[in-house]
Every structure is written in structure tokens, then in C-alpha cells.
Amino acid sequence: MPYNHIALIGLGLISASIALAIRRKHKTVKITGTSRSIDTRNKARELGLCEVCENTKDAVKNADLIILCVPVGAMGSVFDEFAATLKEGATVTDVGSVKVEVIASIMPLLPFGVNFVPGHPLAGTENSGPESGFDSLFDNRWCLLTPIKQCPEASVQKVRSFWEGLGAKVDEMDAEHHDLVLAVTSHVPHLIAYTMVGVADDLSNITKSEVINYSAAGFRDFTRIAASDPTMWRDVFLNNKGASLEILGRFTEELTALQRAVRRGDGDLLFDYFTRTREVRRKILEAGQDTDQPNFGREKNN
Ligand code: NAP
């Protein structure tokens, strides 16, 4: 662990998991943190996540690594509260799900002598708040760093070691590419889940409680994703507009092709398409990024 004092700005699911993962193996590291609401600060205190401070300036005082763990739309304004108070040589990173806009909001505020290494752990759940955190969240999951030109390689390597110390695997790519990849693998799938659950909810007015009572596994998986935090996901789409619209355009074209195949009874097209997509699932399992247990490993009666 290359840092002695780590400050967590925001005390939700991701930062609570970071605190617990640090504690698991690196017991001597000092962890301070804060959250904007008194309720969340109190919850974090009860959980004993870290030394909870009343404001951001106190939380970052003398910290070597500052991790921004707030929704992407709030990164710039929250950083602005304490940027000028950071010690020389400190490193700032973030966990935001979008990178280009976060970099654009942080860079103009970055003080001389402080480095910024943007990051995004590809790990999370549909739950939020400090009580949802757990220490194994990052085990064997990817964390993507999107270093900027101005940042010394040594700072990037230290942030890499930090995530590896939490159990993650680390890769680097440029921020634009990150936002496109994540639009495909995470952002647009969330929008589709939100839409499908919205459609079912409209229908539930007609079918009363049948949509809820007889929900099959496919729909239940959509509802799990569509239960994700509304603030976080609103900010993702507001800040990754270009890539999301690009992928949604492609999605709509494919959907129209499948719609036509259903109308025309083109079983061959549907079979070939579904065979190709099944192969993608096999590759994800082979890469160790999910479990092959039926029902995603949930308990039978869950
Ligand atoms: P979370 O559990 O909902 O926690 C959000 C934290 O941000 C709380 O401390 C909250 O403070 C604070 N916050 C919310 N709005 C704010 C604002 N306008 N100004 C200042 N603070 C604000 O969220 P999370 O899941 O940990 O997500 C945090 C970040 O991680 C986001 O940038 C998200 O994109 C990224 N991320 C999330 C996941 C995931 O699956 N959840 C995965 C990877 C990355 P209060 O509670 O005190 O209001």
C-alpha cells in the first residue's frame, strides 16, 4: 500500500467498500472521510468505516491520496471546496463511471504540485449508502485508469498499486475510449433495463399485480439493475451523452432488425443471433467475470 493517509470524499457504497478493503489487509493506513449529509456521516461512524470529519477540508488535511467518491456531476464542485488546501505532492483520484467530463471538471481546479489520476473500478451493486459496502467488492474486478498527459508516470503506478492492494486488476486506456466501452457494457444496458421496467410498470396498471407476482428471471434481472441509484445514473447519462447516444443508435437498428425477423417469422435469423450472443456469455464466464451458477448464483428462494 503506497499511501499512509487516504481521504474518502463521499461515504457511499464505493467508498465504504474501499475503506473496508483497505482495513482487510493494510491495518496501519490512516483513513479519513466525509459526506455532505449528517445522516450518512453518522452511519459511517456507527459502521466504524474511518475517522469521519465534518467537512471536506478537515477530511483531506495532510492526506497523501484523496479519492472522490461522489456522483460524477458533483465531482468538480466538491473538489473546488478543498482543492486549494491539499498538500504539495498529494495525489487525487476518483471512482466516477464517466471519465472525459470528470477530467474536464477537475483539471482547471488542480493546484500546482498535486497530481490527478482518474480511475473507475468496474465493481458495484444496485445498492447505495455506506451500509451497502463490503470488503471483497473489488476482488478480481477490473479498475480502469485513464491517465492524463500532465501526470507523472510514478503517480499513476502508485494508484495502480493501491487498487491492486485492494484485490483489483488494473488496466489503462484513454478517457474517450473508456466512455465508449462503458456506454456498451454498462450505461446503455442500464438505460434499457430502466425502459423495460418502465414499460412493465405501465402495463401493470392493466394486468394489476401480475407483472410483480409472476415476474420471470429475465424481468427480475432487469428490475435489479433498474433499482440502481437514480442520482448516480442521471449523472452518468448527462455526462456521457455522446457515447450513450452512439450506442443507443446502434441498439435501435439491431432491435428493428430483430423486430422485423419476429414479424416475418424468420426463425433462422433469430436462432443465429441468439447463438452468437450466447457465445458472449461463455467468454465472460471464461474471463472469470461472472459465475456460471444458475440464476446468477442467487439462493433458490430469493
Ligand atoms: P452512493 O452509495 O449513492 O454514495 C454517494 C455519495 O456521494 C454519498 O456520500 C453522498 O452523500 C454523496 N453525494 C451525492 N450527491 C452529492 C452532491 N451533489 N454533492 C456532494 N456529495 C454528494 O454512490 P456510490 O455507488 O458509492 O457511487 C459513487 C461514485 O462511484 C459515483 O461517481 C459512481 O459513478 C461511481 N461508481 C459507482 C458504482 C456502482 O455500481 N454503484 C460502480 C463504480 C463506480 P450523502 O449520502 O451524504 O448525501
Side-chain angles (χ1 to χ4, degrees):
M1 176 56 58
Y3 305 101
N4 295 319
H5 178 180
I6 295 172
L8 301 169
I9 303 303
L11 291 171
L13 162 76
I14 298 295
S15 51
S17 301
I18 292 174
L20 294 168
I22 296 172
R23 284 272 167 274
R24 189 173 59 166
K25 287 194 194 147
H26 313 281
K27 301 204 187 312
T28 59
V29 173
K30 176 173 175 170
I31 312 173
T32 49
T34 194
S35 192
R36 70 175 168 174
S37 75
I38 180 99
D39 280 358
T40 303
R41 294 199 297 275
N42 282 341
K43 251 183 240 159
R45 275 193 193 100
E46 281 163 30
L47 293 163
L49 288 180
C50 62
E51 188 183 309
V52 179
C53 303
E54 285 306 295
N55 57 61
T56 51
K57 283 190 183 118
D58 287 347
V60 302
K61 201 170 174 187
N62 294 322
D64 308 307
L65 178 70
I66 297 92
I67 312 181
L68 298 166
C69 305
V70 295
V72 291
M75 295 274 182
S77 58
V78 170
F79 184 59
D80 201 20
E81 287 174 23
F82 62 82
T85 70
L86 291 175
K87 76 170 183 187
E88 199 172 338
T91 299
V92 177
T93 187
D94 76 296
V95 296
S97 308
V98 173
K99 296 278 52 93
V100 172
E101 287 297 322
V102 168
I103 293 169
S105 68
I106 298 295
M107 285 312 284
L109 305 168
L110 198 68
F112 180 78
V114 173
N115 294 310
F116 177 46
V117 182
H120 177 203
L122 305 188
T125 72
E126 66 278 22
N127 301 319
S128 40
E131 66 282 15
S132 324
F134 54 99
D135 67 5
S136 57
L137 180 63
F138 309 108
D139 284 354
N140 203 33
R141 307 313 301 264
W142 285 101
C143 178
L144 301 178
L145 303 181
T146 62
I148 41 187
K149 279 191 208 114
Q150 300 91 317
C151 185
E153 183 56 24
S155 295
V156 178
Q157 289 312 318
K158 277 173 87 174
V159 174
R160 174 184 275 271
S161 305
F162 164 77
W163 282 107
E164 287 171 351
L166 266 50
K169 303 183 285 187
V170 179
D171 204 359
E172 289 176 32
M173 60 178 64
D174 73 52
E176 285 82 8
H177 190 64
H178 166 278
D179 288 359
L180 185 64
V181 170
L182 267 290
V184 179
T185 58
S186 171
H187 304 169
V188 171
H190 271 78
L191 199 67
I192 293 165
Y194 281 122
T195 313
M196 193 57 232
V197 176
V199 168
D201 188 48
D202 287 345
L203 280 177
S204 74
N205 297 333
I206 304 164
T207 59
K208 299 206 172 62
S209 59
E210 284 160 341
V211 169
I212 304 290
N213 290 342
Y214 307 137
S215 73
F219 179 65
R220 272 189 284 137
D221 290 327
F222 274 128
T223 61
R224 185 183 60 74
I225 298 170
S228 300
D229 186 65
T231 305
M232 169 184 157
W233 285 97
R234 176 202 62 195
D235 280 14
V236 164
F237 290 109
L238 293 180
N239 289 280
N240 197 17
K241 218 184 254 183
S244 299
L245 291 176
E246 160 71 21
I247 301 306
L248 269 174
R250 287 166 181 260
F251 174 80
T252 312
E253 282 175 22
E254 293 287 291
L255 187 63
T256 305
L258 289 181
Q259 201 176 344
R260 197 172 50 234
V262 170
R263 186 175 331 102
R264 291 180 175 173
D266 189 344
D268 287 347
L269 189 147
L270 293 172
F271 185 84
D272 290 347
Y273 202 98
F274 300 160
T275 303
R276 180 156 68 89
T277 55
R278 191 179 220 189
E279 188 64 6
V280 176
R281 173 78 188 152
R282 193 184 59 73
K283 286 179 184 157
I284 289 173
L285 294 178
E286 262 176 24
Q289 291 300 299
D290 206 347
T291 162
D292 63 353
Q293 293 172 56
N295 210 11
F296 296 94
R298 284 189 216 113
E299 295 293 325
K300 258 191 188 147
N301 298 322
N302 257 350

